[in-house]
Structure formats: C-alpha cells, structure tokens
Amino acid sequence: MIHSAPAWKRQAYSIAAMRAMARAALPRPVFDFADGGAEDEHTLKRNETAFATIELLPRPLNGTSERDLSITLFGKRLSMPVIVGPTGLAGLFWPDGERCAARAARASGTAYCHSHGSVSTIEQLAECGAAPRWMQVFIYKDRGFTRELAERAAQSGYDALVLTVDNQLIGNRERDIRNGFSIPPQFGLAGLAGMALKAEWLWRMRREIGRITFGNYVRPGEASDIKMVAGRMAAMLDPTMSWADVDALRKIWTGPLLLKGVLHPQEAKHAVDRGIDGLIVSNHGGRQLDGAPASIAVLPAVIDAVAARVPVLLDGGVRRGSDVVKALALGAQACLVARPQLWGLAIAGEAGVAHMLEIYRQEMSRVMGLCGIARIADIGKDLVFSQFIDGRQP
Ligand SMILES: Cc1cc2nc3c(=O)[nH]c(=O)nc-3n(C[C@H](O)[C@H](O)[C@H](O)COP(=O)(O)O)c2cc1C
C-alpha cells in the first residue's frame, strides 16, 4: 500500500514523528542499525539533550515578515544551513536511497555528502546531478585507494572532499549485536521474524536486497558480493592514521577539504594550520566513542580555537530548526543531518527526504521570526541566554 501524500505528510509533522514512522516501517535490525549508538549510548543521548539545555533569548520587537535562510559555503549558495550528511547503506532504507536523498537535497537547494559506504558509486551519484555534492572518504592501509577515491570524486565534479577521522576502528554497537545485524546485513532468527511484519519494506526492497553492496569498493568487472566487499572494506581502515595522511590528502585534493569527527579544540587548530578548509564537529552520532561529549557542547571551544579562519560545521542530534539556530548562534556555519534523511527515505523515498528538509526550513524560519531575526548573518552569540549573561559580566 502506498501512503497518500497528504496522509503521511500530516503524520510526519516533526523529525521525531518521522523517526516514529520509520520505526514502524522498518525491520527492527535495520531501524536499530541507523538509530543506535555505541555501548551504553551515553554520547548518542547527550547529543540531543545538550541542545535541550540551551536557551534562546528572543527580541520580538525586531519584527520581520520575511526571513532569508540562505548562506554561502565554499563559494556555493545554499538555500539554508542544513546539509544532508553521509550515511553508509542508505540504499537499505529505500531502493536507490542515496540518489533519492541527493535529488531531494538538490531540489531543496542544499548540499549532499556521499558516504564512502554508499550502495551507489561516486559516479552514479554524480550522474543524477546532485549539486553541490561532497564526497566522504577514510584513510586506508592502501593509501593508493584513498587517492583513487579522491581522484574519482574530482573526475566526477564533486565540490568538496570530507575526510572522516573518527571511524578508523568500528565502534561497539550493541543493538546490532543483539539483533544479529552485521555488515554485510545478516539477520538472526528474531530479526527474520521481525522482517516478516514489515511487508511494505520487504516488498519494496525485494529486488534490491540481493544487489546491496558497498558500490565504491567493487573493482571493475568484479561480482559485487557484499560479504567479500565488506570484509575488504573493514580490513582496509588504518588505525595508525596520522597528520601526515592529512597532509598527503591536502596535496591530492585541490578543492575544499574538510575533516569530520574533530572534537578536540587543539586538533581543530592544528587542522587549520595544516591547510584544511573546514571542520565538521562530530562524534559520529554517538556510534563510535561512547563517552565523547555532545558535539554542541564542544563547539564553542572549537570556534575559539579556529578563530574564524575556516567554516566550522556541526552534526549530532540536530533534530529541530531551533537546534540549527543554536549551533549557528554558537559559531557554526551550518549543520549536517544524517539519521533524519534515513527516516525520510524509509517513509517515502525522495519525497520523504524533501519533506524532512522542509521541516527544518519551516522550523528555522519560525524560530528566527520568534527571535526577531531576518537573516542568518544576524544570528549572534547573544541569542544564547547563557552567552548573553556571560557577555555582561565584568
Ligand atoms: C546508518 C549510519 C551510517 C553512517 N555512515 C557514515 C559514513 O559512512 N561516513 C561518515 O562519515 N559518517 C557516517 N555516519 C555518521 C553521520 O554522518 C553523522 O556524523 C551522525 O549520524 C550524526 O548525525 P545525526 O545525529 O544527524 O545522525 C553514519 C550514521 C548513520 C546513522
């Protein structure tokens, strides 16, 4: 059964509502693969609760009827400071999931970041016209493969390269263990029983399941056996990654180069000193180091360390337009949203991701209006209550 558009959209009135709908639509192991974090999920929870503790101090007498959410980032105009972040295996949530999400981002006027672990390849994503498009990579034991991915991204006209630095060892995701979910996806008995209850997803994915693989890792002419490809992928990650690797990538990639997964202010400063063009403050959504602070909690210290030399972006628990406004008030240029795109895909594919982005746009616009702010450039530190109070202290 296909949802009639108004019905599902009415139900999907917030990102939290979309998560609940995705939970109902997806087999438990698939939902948990996206929703879960590492170990006790302290960091996962912190990401969202830290936003809740930040208070906004409005000035409603700066009344405005029109709000302009657009920004310029790395020379590209975006209609709002919300970017679709990289998530591996988006194609597990909806057929051709990555290209659906990328098309929705383009239609919304924002950027899409393609994950190394996507089902579709660098080239297939570029062919769908996603723009602006960013490519996310890792440092591999075979440094030649990192170079190869960067070169393929350059050849396919990607606008920026994102080096994720917090995933060289895979976090201990206990929901996946409990559900018997692994990469490649293998479902335990309970998982299989749960799947049978998710008939719509099963029907939609019936031809896809057998074809799902990590497209970027399949060699030309090779059969795309996910087991073999996934094994190769995990074995390729190099935990001995160092600054020399960052320098080497800097030499290869001439366009904007961002580091994703930076939390320590000194690492942030060091990265900028070495010629990095942007930072994504991120704890990988609590999927890697459980115990890391919330991204929004470390943002002010990173902003101080970087001293406005490069754009600083943030992800992790951004679930409301007001969260984006808070991050911008604390110095970020934009936020990335990752899980919400998977909820959008699970509910309605491309239309679901477009709807998800529209929720952020409308919520941001309303919050800015309530705060008496017409333009992104007018979002300042003093919008955050605690910063306002601190600023007044002698
Ligand atoms: C299912 C899933 C897959 C992910 N895959 C990647 C990836 O391939 N590369 C990457 O840099 N981050 C990956 N991430 C991390 C996200 O990009 C993001 O940092 C994190 O989820 C926090 O954002 P969120 O709270 O909006 O989900 C993944 C996250 C999820 C949930």
Side-chain angles (χ1 to χ4, degrees), residues 48-71:
E48 289 190 34
T49 52
F51 274 112
T53 63
I54 298 171
E55 297 160 305
L56 294 173
L57 191 59
R59 295 193 212 195
L61 283 165
N62 286 339
T64 152
S65 60
E66 303 267 312
R67 262 94 52 197
D68 179 2
L69 274 59
S70 65
I71 59 163

Side-chain angles (χ1 to χ4, degrees), residues 8 91 101 127-128 152 168 193 202 222 270:
W8 73 258
E127 278 161 19
C128 88
R152 284 169 60 187
Q168 297 299 105
L202 261 184
E222 179 179 86
H270 211 50

